[in-house]
Amino acid sequence: MTSLLIPVDAYLVESLPTVWFGVVMFTLAMYVALDGMDFGIGMLYATRNDHDRETLLSAFGPIWDANEVWLVAFGTTLLAAFPAIYSRLLSERYLLAIAIVMALLMRGVAPELREQRDDPEWHRRCDQLFVFGSTVTPLLLGMLVGSWIFGTAAVSLPSLLTGVGLVALCLTSGAAFLAAKTSGQLSADMVRYGTLSTAAYLGGVVVLLAVVYWLDPANVRALLLTLPAAAVVLASVVFGVGGVAAARQGRHKLWFGAAFGLSFLLVGLVATLLYPTIYPASGLTIDAVVVSPLALNLTTILGLPVLLLVLWYFKFLYGTFAGPVDGEGYGT
Amino acid sequence: MIPAPDPVFSSVVQFAQTSLLLSPELASRAQFGWTISVHILFAALSIGLAPFIVYFTWKDVTSDEESYTRLREFWIKVFAVGFVMGTVTGIPMSFQFGTNFPQFAEAAGEMIGGPLAFEAKMAFFLEAVFLGVLLFGRERVSDRTYVLSSVLTGAGAWLSGFWILVVNAWMQTPQGFELIQRNGMEIAKLTDPIAAFFTPRMPWMYVHMINASVISVTLLVAGIAAYFVWQNRESKAWNTALRMAVVLLLITAPLQAIHGDAYGRHVADTQEQKFAAMEAHYESGQADLHLIAIPKSFDALTDPRTDNLFTISLPAVGSFLASGGDFSAEVVGLHEYDENPPVALVFWSFRAMVGLGFLFIGLALWGGNLLRQGKLRESTRYLQAMMLASPLGFVALLTGWYVTEIGRQPWVIQDVLKTNDAVSTTLTGAEATGTLVAFVVLYIALLTAFGFVLKWMIEGELERMGVREKDRSGRPRMPWVKGDD
C-alpha cells in the first residue's frame, strides 16, 4: 500500500540525498544565525550595567528557546538522513559533545532563574553562569564543527580557530540585533563592539584558512582553491564590511541582515568543504551513508512542508516581538 | 629514561581504574537512565499542565473572574520554568543516542530518525514559539490569538510525546523493517512506515503516558492548591483549582488502573521476558498473581523470589491475566533465558507504581465524597494528605518507566539489538564515568533550583494573599544569607 503513495525503491528525485544534505546545512545555518545572536547577547551582557542588563534580557526572553530548537532540528535531521554521520560526529568527539549540552544548559537556565529572585547576590551568580554558558557554547560548537569539516581530533589548531571564529561571529550577530532593538548609548556601544568583532571574525577566517592550507588535514587544501570556497570567503568580506558601513550610518536593520548573511555564509563554507564527502575523517560520501529511498522519501513528504510552516512561526514570533525594547520589556 | 612509577601512585591509579570506574556500558546506561529520569519529569509537567493552562487562559479571557487571571499567571510561570528545564535537559537526550549508543543510532537510524526529526519540526518548535507568545505577548496579540497560543503550546507538548513514544514503542515491539548490511554493519531498513510508526505498543503507551502525566500534574496542582486553601480557606482561586483537581483525579486515576490492567496483558503477549521479570516468575508454568509482596529478608530487596517473599497471592490468576482467561496457561519463566533484566528493579518498581495507582484512586474517592458533602475546604486532614501526595504522581510515573525500560534489558531493540552491542566502542570507562558524575551533579543542582523556584512562587502567592508578610528587608532571605543583612 505504501508503494502506491511513496516510491519505495527510488528517491523522489535523483538528487534527494543532496537536497537533504542541503536541509541539514540549512538547519545548522538557522541555528548559528539565530542562537548565535543569543550567544552574542549573552557575551555582550558582561559589558553592561544592571539597567542595560534588564533591557538585554527583555530582548532575549521571548525568542531564545525557539532559536535553540534549531540545534535539535539539526541533530535529528542529520540522524534521519545520515545516521552514520550523526553517530560518528558525536561518539568520536564524546567529551566535546557532552560539554556543549552542559554549557547550553547553563546558558538556558541562568536567565530564567535570575528573574525568580530580587536579590543582587543571586543576580550576580546567575549573570556569571549566563555569560559563561553564552561564551563557552559557541567556542565548543565551533570546535565540533571545525574538527568535523577538517577531519581532525576534537582539539586541534583548526578546530580551536573555528571555535574562536564562531565566538566573534556570534558577537557580531548579537551586537547587530541589540543595536536595532535599542537606542542611545547602548545602541552606539553595540556598533562599536560589532565593528571590532566583525574585524576579528574576518581576520580569524583568513588565519583559519591559512592554517588549514598549511597543515592540510584530510586533504582540504585542494578544496580551498576552488571557486565556491573563494566566492563564499569573498562574499563574507563584502557582507562584513558592508554591515559595518551600514551600522555606522545608523541603518541597524540592514546591519542585522548582513550579520544573518554572514552566519549563512559560514555554514555555506562548511557545506562547500564537506560536499560530497560528508565525513572527511573517514572519507565517507553522502551516497554511502544516506538512508534508503523509502525512509528519505517519507521524511521529505512529512518533514519538508512542516519546515516551511516552522519558518512561518518564526516570522510570526519575530513580528509579534518587533520594535524597540527596554528594561520593562517590549514597548507597546 | 623514564623513572619507575611510584608504587603508591600506581596502586592508587589501579584502585581508581578497577573500583571507581564503571564500564562504558554500565556508565552509559546509568547516564541515559538518569538524564531521561530528570527530563521525563519536566516533559510530563508540560504534557500534564497543558489542559490546565488552556482552561485557565480561556476562562481568564472570557470571564471577568480575577481568580482565573491569578491561576493562569501562576501556572503559566510554572509551565515556563518547567519548559526551560525540559528544553535544556531534552537537548542532551537528542544527542546521547550518538555520543553513547552510536551503534544503535546507526542501526536504527531509518526507524527512529524520522520520528525524532518530526518531533523537533512539528512539536518542539510549535511549543517553543507559542510559549514565547503566551509568556510575553498578553498585551501584544488579540485575545483570540492569545487563547490559540495556549492551545498550540499544549498541542506541541502532546504531539512531542506522540513522536517520542513512536520511537520508544518501536524499540519494544519493532516491526516494519528488514535487516540489511550497510557500511559493514547490520542495520534496520524501513520497509513499512505505517507498521513502524503504529506498532502494537504505541496506542497502549501513549494513553498510559499521557494519562500518567495528567495524573502527576493533577496531584501537584491539588497539593499546592490544598496548601493555599489550608492557609486561607476563603481563597476563591485556590478552592476552584482544588475542586477541579479532585474532579479530574476522579476520572483519570480509575482510568489508569483499568487501562493498566489491559496494558499488562498486552506486555505478557508481546514481551514475555519483561512480564516474567515484573512478577519475578522464574519457573515456566502456571503463574500466581502476587497482590501484595512483603520482603521476608533483605535479600528480597535485591533478589525477589517466592521463597524470600511473604505474598498474598491469587493462585493461577497470573496465568489467567496473562492469557486473558485461561487459569492453566503457561507463563514463560526467567530460567528460560541466558540473560535477564535486573529483576529486583523491575519487580519492585512495578509494585510501587501499582500501589501508588491505588492510593491515587483512594485519594480521588475520598476527595469526591468530601466534595459531594461540600466539606472539601474544611477537611484539614484531606488537605494535608493531598499536600503529602503532591510529588507521588511523578514517583509512580518514573517507576512505571523503569518497568518499561529496565524490563526490556538486555535488549535495546527487543530481540533485534542488545544494549551491550549498541554502546560506543571508542568510549572509555573514565570518560563515561566522568560525564555520568557531571550529569548527576548538574541535574541535582537543577532539580534543587526548580524546587526553590516553586517554593519562592508559593511564598510570593502567600504574600499576595496576605497570609504571610515579607521580612524587614522587603524580600525573603537567600539560603546563604545569615543574620540581618
Side-chain angles (χ1 to χ4, degrees), chain A residues 103-182:
Chain A
L104 259 181
L105 183 146
M106 293 174 193
R107 189 285 300 258
V109 293
E112 192 66 30
L113 291 177
R114 183 188 198 269
E115 70 173 51
Q116 307 298 331
R117 204 75 184 156
D118 197 15
D119 179 298
E121 176 65 14
W122 176 253
H123 283 187
R124 200 174 61 78
R125 286 171 189 238
C126 290
D127 289 349
Q128 287 168 345
L129 205 59
F130 181 50
V131 173
F132 177 80
S134 300
T135 313
V136 169
T137 312
L139 179 71
L140 298 180
L141 189 73
M143 288 171 66
L144 185 86
V145 173
S147 69
W148 175 19
I149 53 178
F150 301 124
T152 67
V155 182
S156 65
L157 189 56
S159 84
L160 280 166
L161 285 169
T162 314
V164 172
L166 188 59
V167 168
L169 179 63
C170 293
L171 275 169
T172 307
S173 302
F177 180 70
L178 290 173
K181 282 281 182 190
T182 61

Side-chain angles (χ1 to χ4, degrees), chain A residues 1-2 65 68 77 80 84 86-88 91 94 117-119 121 288 292 294 306 310 313 317 320 322 330-331, chain B residues 31 83 87 91 94 97-100 102 105-106 110 113 121 126 129 140 183 193-194 435 456 475-478 480:
Chain A
M1 193 201 83
T2 7
D65 207 321
E68 192 172 304
T77 306
Y86 166 91
S87 296
R88 283 172 175 73
S91 66
Y94 181 78
R117 204 75 184 156
D118 197 15
D119 179 298
E121 176 65 14
S292 63
L294 176 61
V306 181
V310 168
Y313 297 161
L317 182 73
T320 303
Y330 280 79
Chain B
Q31 178 172 306
F83 183 71
T87 303
I91 287 175
S94 69
F97 297 122
T99 52
N100 292 71
E106 190 166 348
E110 292 199 6
K121 294 189 179 89
L126 190 69
V129 166
R140 300 180 74 85
N183 293 324
I194 294 174
T435 57
W456 296 334
R475 53 184 162 77
R477 292 211 182 101
M478 301 307 303
W480 56 80

Side-chain angles (χ1 to χ4, degrees), chain B residues 28-265:
Chain B
S28 293
R29 279 175 57 187
Q31 178 172 306
F32 203 92
W34 164 248
T35 50
I36 193 78
S37 292
V38 175
H39 175 66
I40 210 168
L41 297 176
F42 296 113
L45 184 71
S46 290
I47 291 172
L49 259 184
F52 287 90
I53 299 288
V54 171
Y55 182 75
F56 292 147
T57 304
W58 176 63
K59 291 297 275 185
D60 177 30
V61 167
T62 54
S63 76
D64 290 331
E65 289 275 350
E66 191 257 343
S67 54
Y68 285 111
T69 311
R70 281 189 24 224
L71 289 172
R72 171 179 70 79
E73 283 174 355
F74 186 92
W75 289 109
I76 284 184
K77 210 170 157 195
V78 175
F79 189 94
V81 180
F83 183 71
V84 167
M85 304 268 174
T87 303
V88 299
T89 55
I91 287 175
M93 298 323 307
S94 69
F95 288 98
Q96 279 182 98
F97 297 122
T99 52
N100 292 71
F101 301 98
Q103 267 82 264
F104 166 68
E106 190 166 348
E110 292 199 6
M111 315 304 296
I112 67 167
L116 288 173
F118 301 149
E119 191 268 343
K121 294 189 179 89
M122 293 180 193
F124 200 176
F125 274 126
L126 190 69
E127 198 179 353
V129 166
F130 288 97
L131 182 64
V133 178
L134 203 58
L135 277 175
F136 299 97
R138 183 70 187 98
E139 308 299 327
R140 300 180 74 85
V141 296
S142 67
D143 281 358
R144 187 191 291 259
T145 309
Y146 193 72
V147 174
L148 185 65
S149 297
S150 76
V151 174
L152 291 175
T153 306
W158 283 44
L159 197 56
S160 206
F162 173 83
W163 286 115
I164 296 300
L165 293 182
V166 162
V167 172
N168 195 278
W170 181 80
M171 290 159 66
Q172 312 285 343
T173 51
Q175 60 178 29
F177 66 97
E178 64 181 352
L179 293 172
I180 61 160
Q181 289 289 325
R182 181 182 293 158
N183 293 324
M185 200 180 152
E186 189 169 65
I187 66 132
K189 177 174 180 267
L190 180 69
T191 55
D192 183 350
I194 294 174
F197 288 180
F198 299 96
T199 53
R201 180 60 50 84
M202 176 57 208
W204 290 109
M205 219 174 213
Y206 192 65
V207 172
H208 210 65
M209 180 62 189
I210 292 282
N211 201 36
S213 305
V214 173
I215 291 173
S216 302
V217 170
T218 304
L219 283 163
L220 182 73
V221 171
I224 289 175
Y227 178 65
F228 289 134
V229 171
W230 182 47
Q231 293 287 314
N232 175 10
R233 310 256 172 180
E234 302 309 314
S235 167
K236 198 169 174 211
W238 293 105
N239 269 302
T240 306
L242 182 60
R243 278 198 307 275
M244 255 186 76
V246 168
V247 171
L248 200 54
L249 201 60
L250 268 170
I251 301 166
T252 51
L255 179 71
Q256 193 74 342
I258 296 164
H259 181 265
D261 169 57
Y263 185 0
R265 267 199 293 284

Side-chain angles (χ1 to χ4, degrees), chain A residues 192-218:
Chain A
R192 201 158 49 82
Y193 290 131
T195 306
L196 289 173
S197 65
T198 305
Y201 172 66
L202 293 176
V205 170
V206 170
V207 172
L208 169 66
L209 295 181
V211 164
V212 170
Y213 186 83
W214 169 56
L215 290 177
D216 196 19

Side-chain angles (χ1 to χ4, degrees), chain A residues 179-190:
Chain A
K181 282 281 182 190
T182 61
S183 54
Q185 188 60 42
L186 178 54
S187 186
D189 282 353
M190 290 305 129

